[in-house]
């Protein structure tokens, strides 16, 4: 007892559809992420990785299983406690494969809006957005519209947005798929630094085995089942999660 | 005089009323009907415009929901759009009126009261025409932002 976990997901099962179109996307998946821990989630296509993130991100409820984030129990099966949207904007940051910026807002506004949603005064939200963009190396592009940014720049703005509410949990679904391996690695390292610095739990779905040494823990998902990665090469590169 | 059965006595005002009632009153009622129809039609057109504009933005709206924006914010965005449109329409209408009315065969009288009333009607139309768009926006699932 005592330690507050960034995420405590237990026994998550997700069934899509019913009858002969039924797909069991998650089977009794459990994961505990400490504050400051960076977790990689590997697995073949269709294994259920995105489904897992959608469940713990409080976007799609699981069919069974419980979710606690930052020590607060928020989901028990399909039943949720409290206003999930509010919980998301205050506690979770999202990054997805496609950059997913709001097209009619500039880069800085895309980040700023998150701060304003959690009740920061606009000037403060803007200042903080600028700091994040600068830290991510896209400060000079702050006033560009998303379409005027390269894929990598868009992705970094998305990362800035995910950090803007100082979440206790960051969920990233193949955030580096659109980046070259150098930039991809930079984004992963950024996640790690943020996690270690602010005590944020981070889960990153990735196919990039070269950057696995950045992570504290590596899980593998197969056919809806989640297990710690046993892969030789993975085991060597992954450090002990002592930093958390 | 009013005692005589085959004659009716009218005051000046009554005479005026009598003369105006027939043809002018019918014309006025037709214009009134016309106006109501125009108002309804513009409301429907505006609702359709706002609806398609909302359909256009379903993805970013889903995204806003995903990052936790409350419904209040989303409704606000749509209303804001409608009010801007309404305001523009009012402005354009007023401007065109100023240019056009002097060319009419009769003098057109627009009082401040009229303007205020029209502004009120525009406001109402804007709000009502947003309802369809708002209804659609409320139904979009946050997960649609990442399909
Ligand atoms: N909305 C849905 N309705 C029905 N089935 C779904 C839905 N979303 C996912 N599935 C199914 O659930 C299973 C897991 O999908 P999921 O997207 O979680 O896989 P994934 O591990 O993220 O794969 P990828 O690496 O290709 O992104 C798949 O068989 C998929 O077809
Ligand atoms: Mg996926």
């Amino acid at each position: 007892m005592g330690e507050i976990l960034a995420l405590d997901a237990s026994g998550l099962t997700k069934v899509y559809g019913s009858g002969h179109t039924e797909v069991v996307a998650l089977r009794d998946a459990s994961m505990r992420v400490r504050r400051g821990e960076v977790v990689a989630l590997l697995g073949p296509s269709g294994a259920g990785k995105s489904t897992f993130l959608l469940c713990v991100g409080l976007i799609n409820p699981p069919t069974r299983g419980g979710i606690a984030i930052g020590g607060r129990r928020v989901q028990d099966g399909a039943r949720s406690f409290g206003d999930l949207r509010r919980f998301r904007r205050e506690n979770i940051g999202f990054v997805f494969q496609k950059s997913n910026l709001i097209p009619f807002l500039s880069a800085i506004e895309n980040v700023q809006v998150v701060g304003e949603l959690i009740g920061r005064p606009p000037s403060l939200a803007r200042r903080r957005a600028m700091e994040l963009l600068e830290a991510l190396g896209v400060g000079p592009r702050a006033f560009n519209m998303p379409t005027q940014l390269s894929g990598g720049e868009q992705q970094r703005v998305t990362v800035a947005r995910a950090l803007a509410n100082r979440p206790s949990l960051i969920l990233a679904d193949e955030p580096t798929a659109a980046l070259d391996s150098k930039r991809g690695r930079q984004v992963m390292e950024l996640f790690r630094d943020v996690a270690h610095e602010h005590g944020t739990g981070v889960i990153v779905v990735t196919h990039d085995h070269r950057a696995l040494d950045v992570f504290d823990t590596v899980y593998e998902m197969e056919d809806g089942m989640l297990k710690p990665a046993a892969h030789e090469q993975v085991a060597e590169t992954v450090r002990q999660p002592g930093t958390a | 005089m009013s005692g005589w059965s085959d004659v009716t006595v009218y005051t000046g005002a009554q005479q005026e009323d009598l003369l105006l009632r027939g043809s002018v009153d019918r014309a006025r009622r037709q214009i009134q009907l016309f106006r109501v129809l125009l108002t309804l039609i513009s409301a429907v057109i505006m609702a359709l415009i706002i609806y398609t504009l909302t359909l256009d933005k379903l993805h970013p709206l889903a995204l806003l929901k995903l990052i936790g924006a409350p419904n209040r914010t989303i409704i606000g965005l749509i209303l804001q759009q409608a009010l801007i449109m309404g305001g523009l329409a009012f402005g354009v209408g007023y401007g065109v009126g100023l240019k056009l009315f002097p060319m009419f065969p009769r003098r057109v009288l627009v009082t401040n009261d009229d303007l205020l009333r029209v502004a009120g009607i525009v406001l109402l139309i804007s709000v009502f025409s947003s309802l369809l768009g708002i209804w659609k926006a409320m139904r979009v699932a946050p997960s649609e932002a990442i399909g």
Side-chain angles (χ1 to χ4, degrees), chain B residues 27-78:
Chain B
R28 206 172 61 182
R29 250 185 296 176
Q30 273 173 354
I31 290 176
Q32 200 105 42
L33 182 72
F34 200 57
R35 224 161 47 174
V36 169
L37 274 179
L38 274 182
T39 309
L40 282 179
I41 290 168
S42 56
V44 168
I45 290 174
M46 188 141 154
L48 286 177
I49 292 175
I50 305 250
Y51 184 66
T52 39
L53 284 176
T54 308
L55 283 189
D56 242 23
K57 294 197 180 58
L58 281 188
H59 188 267
L61 288 177
L63 185 62
L64 276 172
K65 284 188 177 183
L66 188 141
I67 63 174
N71 284 338
R72 179 161 32 91
T73 306
I74 289 161
I75 292 172
L77 281 173
I78 297 174

Side-chain angles (χ1 to χ4, degrees), chain A residues 112-181:
Chain A
Q112 183 183 345
V113 73
V114 173
E116 288 186 36
L117 282 178
I118 57 172
R120 288 198 192 121
S123 60
L124 178 64
R126 192 166 190 87
R127 211 167 337 125
R128 177 131 170 76
M130 198 62 203
E131 283 167 17
L132 283 168
L133 291 176
E134 268 162 9
L136 284 152
V138 277
R141 327 264 9 219
F143 299 99
N144 286 50
M145 300 305 280
T147 50
Q148 300 169 322
L149 301 172
S150 77
E153 288 166 342
Q154 288 181 28
Q155 199 57 283
R156 279 180 281 162
V157 176
T158 315
V159 173
R161 184 179 67 195
L163 298 174
N165 57 347
R166 300 210 177 216
S168 44
L169 184 63
I170 291 179
L171 304 172
D173 200 346
E174 305 189 38
T176 60
L179 308 183
D180 60 58
S181 63

Side-chain angles (χ1 to χ4, degrees), chain A residues 16-17 23 25 43-52 173-174 207:
Chain A
Y16 285 117
V23 178
S45 183
K49 306 180 295 295
S50 297
T51 302
F52 182 76
D173 200 346
E174 305 189 38
H207 289 291

